[in-house]
Amino acid sequence: MKVFVINCGSSSLKYQLINMVDESVLASGLIERIGMDGSILTHKPEGKDKFIVEQKMENHEVAIKLVLDALVDEKHGVVKSMDEIDAVGHRVLHGGEYFDKSVLITDETMKTIEELIDLGPLHMPANIMGIKSCQNIMPNVPQVATFDTAFHQTIPEHAYIYSIPYEYYEKYKIRKYGFHGTSHKYITERAAFMLGKNVEEVNIVSCHLGNGASLAAIKNGKCIETSMGITPLEGLTMGTRSGDIDPAVIQVLMGKEDINIDQALEILNKKSGVLGISGVSSDFRDIEKAAEEGNHRAQLALDHFTYVVRKYIGAYIGAIGGVDAVVFTAGVGENAPGMRASICKGLEFFGIEVDEEENNMRGKEKDVSKARARVRTFVIPTNEEIVIARDTLELTK
Ligand code: AMP
């Protein structure tokens, strides 16, 4: 059984073809600049050379067709024909309150997914386009949607409710939903394995720190709190997103800069975060380098980021009532030992103690705590694709 996993962004598409017999990745790749000049496919077949195609891709359907051509290509391909693809799993941003797990795509579930566009206007149209394109190209292959919000549907009412008039929740379902759920789910399962516990016994703070960043508080294996909100803008300071701010900032900005609400939200989504503070980059590698060279704003961005994450970890340990482990994942969490050490500095009170030597590594699943630490600190490389592929297999076999 081979599952094709697709993650469609507005102008990008990431994919993996996974052999579910041994969960090995047969090929992976990325298409950038769909619908723009300079569209490019980077295809990485396992055990073969990387293959790059630069040609105009007007839309996602054209892009997906190109990926399928690459997968069956005599030289760069990994399967003989498209018939070998048994199912497609799609990453979908928002499942609202409708989906607390992955679903098989039917006319009915598709209708519900389309009703959720309002909750994810930046991502949902691309996700839907990806599903429809696959339906057109592979009409007989079953498709599954895995939602970024689904894992967070166990968050209790008192935690997901916003303190605005209740009628807005009733009328428009305005509430906290949370994202990166597929990643936090994977982390919870791996952390259980590392702790030698059943998932239902696991208490952790899962820190997904990438370009987008979110924390999840996991109590007895279930998510009880997360930092992103109705959209991924809430919570931690991120690469380009502001995270938590006083909403009145928007009014002040609009008045002073003479901009409309869309422009203000564009600033908060695309020009803020560590990019906004540092003025250097949204990439932590560039910021760390600039800080080392004495750039004050770069150092400020790092100090602010580590402070915010540390503050959230403390709050989430309180929300859970004590934890077995704090887990770091995603680009920064997996690859930046200095950031992990800075975040944990000051959390010794909770029993969190990072071992400098153990922590000096990148991209490996590892316990990086001191032997005596009461609470473990883990690094776990995330794998959202395998969660999507497993759910797809489960729902289509
Ligand atoms: P992600 O969104 O999970 O792909 O994470 C991407 C981000 O991870 C990049 O923008 C970088 O800021 C960060 N990152 C990746 N590698 C490193 C590294 N070696 N040191 C610091 N940050 C890194």
Side-chain angles (χ1 to χ4, degrees), residues 276-300:
I277 297 175
S278 69
V280 172
S281 167
S282 62
D283 191 309
F284 282 82
R285 287 165 286 201
D286 302 335
I287 304 172
E288 281 185 324
K289 186 162 170 281
E292 274 164 28
E293 288 163 0
N295 182 320
H296 167 71
R297 276 174 55 187
Q299 188 59 53
L300 179 64

Side-chain angles (χ1 to χ4, degrees), residues 14 180 208-213 239 274 281-288 329-337 339 362 382 384:
K14 284 190 213 147
H180 293 144
H208 180 113
L209 309 177
N211 194 27
V274 288
S281 167
S282 62
D283 191 309
F284 282 82
R285 287 165 286 201
D286 302 335
I287 304 172
E288 281 185 324
T329 192
V332 180
E334 292 166 25
N335 299 305
M339 298 294 285
R362 302 175 199 284
T382 196
E384 289 158 285

